[in-house]
Amino acid sequence: MMKINIGLVRIETQAAKLLGPPARFEASKLKVVFIGEGMDKYTGIVPRTYTLSHCDITADLTLSVSNAINLDQLRGWYNKDDVVAEWKKVKEEMFLHVHCHVSGPNPMLDLVAEFRYHIFTKELPLVLKAVLHGDSILFKEHPELLETLVWVYFHSSSKKYNRVECWGPLKDAAQGNQGDQMPSLLGTGEEDRRLEKWGSPKSIFQALVAFLL
């Protein structure tokens, strides 16, 4: 009975977030932390990773900028709304890969997978605005990054929501203009081969998920 009640509470919470308007980005609510030597020197773009955490109570945001995923900040990732993004360079072309954990490993989370997928979709412009603001000097030094394609990876134990979408150029995706989305399922051989040209994220995130779960 306790597990059922917890599941219902989670569904109600996710439903409330989904039905409400998209969160408005407020710079005063954002805390930026640079982790690692040279991350605030902007001598290079890769490796560069963002971890964004959100507090439901205060609506405060914490953006970690580092050359590796901040595992401490991501502990319990599958129970939270944290988002990870990283710059990838493939054949001299830059891309921004964004990762969201929709459901798993708790079976109860399958009940809210659809809610979480749509919530992440609704709130991702806020995430991208936080990145643009928190790492603004990088974009002043490299304005061409605003034109880079944003690939969003939704990680889920449900095949329906284990997917990747192209949201178009960063400058448009941050405004909620997703352009011509290219949704597809993750984990198929055909899809993996197609994503090789964009820089497949599987190796680093398979290791991450294995560590966190």
Side-chain angles (χ1 to χ4, degrees):
M1 181 64 69
M2 179 63 70
K3 289 184 178 180
I4 294 177
N5 289 338
I6 293 174
L8 291 175
V9 170
R10 182 175 293 277
I11 290 175
E12 291 173 356
T13 300
Q14 300 294 342
K17 290 182 180 180
L18 179 60
L19 295 174
R24 183 169 60 89
F25 175 70
E26 298 181 41
S28 61
K29 292 283 189 178
L30 178 65
K31 176 183 178 181
V32 183
V33 180
F34 290 92
I35 302 174
E37 185 177 354
M39 292 310 299
D40 57 348
K41 303 301 181 183
Y42 307 100
T43 56
I45 302 173
V46 178
R48 198 171 194 85
T49 298
Y50 306 102
T51 304
L52 185 70
S53 298
H54 173 266
C55 178
D56 288 332
I57 299 176
T58 64
D60 288 340
L61 300 170
T62 300
L63 179 70
S64 296
V65 184
S66 60
N67 56 14
I69 297 171
N70 185 356
L71 294 177
D72 288 336
Q73 187 175 349
L74 272 182
R75 290 186 185 277
W77 188 34
Y78 45 83
N79 285 322
K80 302 188 295 183
D81 299 331
D82 294 359
V83 176
V84 174
E86 62 175 343
W87 290 107
K88 303 284 285 188
K89 188 173 185 179
V90 183
K91 296 181 179 179
E92 302 305 315
E93 189 172 0
M94 295 298 301
F95 301 94
L96 183 64
H97 288 184
V98 181
H99 298 266
C100 310
H101 202 289
V102 175
S103 66
N106 187 337
M108 295 301 295
L109 293 183
D110 287 339
L111 298 176
V112 296
E114 183 175 2
F115 286 121
R116 286 176 61 81
Y117 168 78
H118 289 294
I119 289 170
F120 278 124
T121 298
K122 184 181 74 170
E123 302 297 348
L124 271 172
L126 171 70
V127 173
L128 298 176
K129 288 177 182 177
V131 170
L132 289 172
H133 182 84
D135 210 9
S136 59
I137 297 180
L138 175 72
F139 295 101
K140 290 180 181 178
E141 295 289 333
H142 301 278
E144 70 278 6
L145 292 178
L146 295 174
E147 303 291 340
T148 57
L149 290 179
V150 176
W151 286 86
V152 184
Y153 296 84
F154 298 94
H155 300 272
S156 175
S157 55
S158 167
K159 291 183 178 179
K160 181 177 180 180
Y161 297 108
N162 196 54
R163 55 194 286 138
V164 57
E165 297 175 357
C166 179
W167 278 41
L170 175 57
K171 65 178 183 179
D172 296 332
Q175 299 302 320
N177 302 322
Q178 299 171 25
D180 296 328
Q181 271 191 11
M182 297 170 57
S184 55
L185 298 179
L186 288 172
T188 65
E190 180 181 354
E191 176 61 18
D192 292 341
R193 288 190 294 272
R194 187 176 71 80
L195 287 174
E196 285 181 0
K197 65 178 294 188
W198 308 115
S200 173
K202 294 189 73 174
S203 58
I204 185 171
F205 270 86
Q206 282 178 341
L208 170 63
V209 172
F211 176 84
L212 292 174
L213 303 189

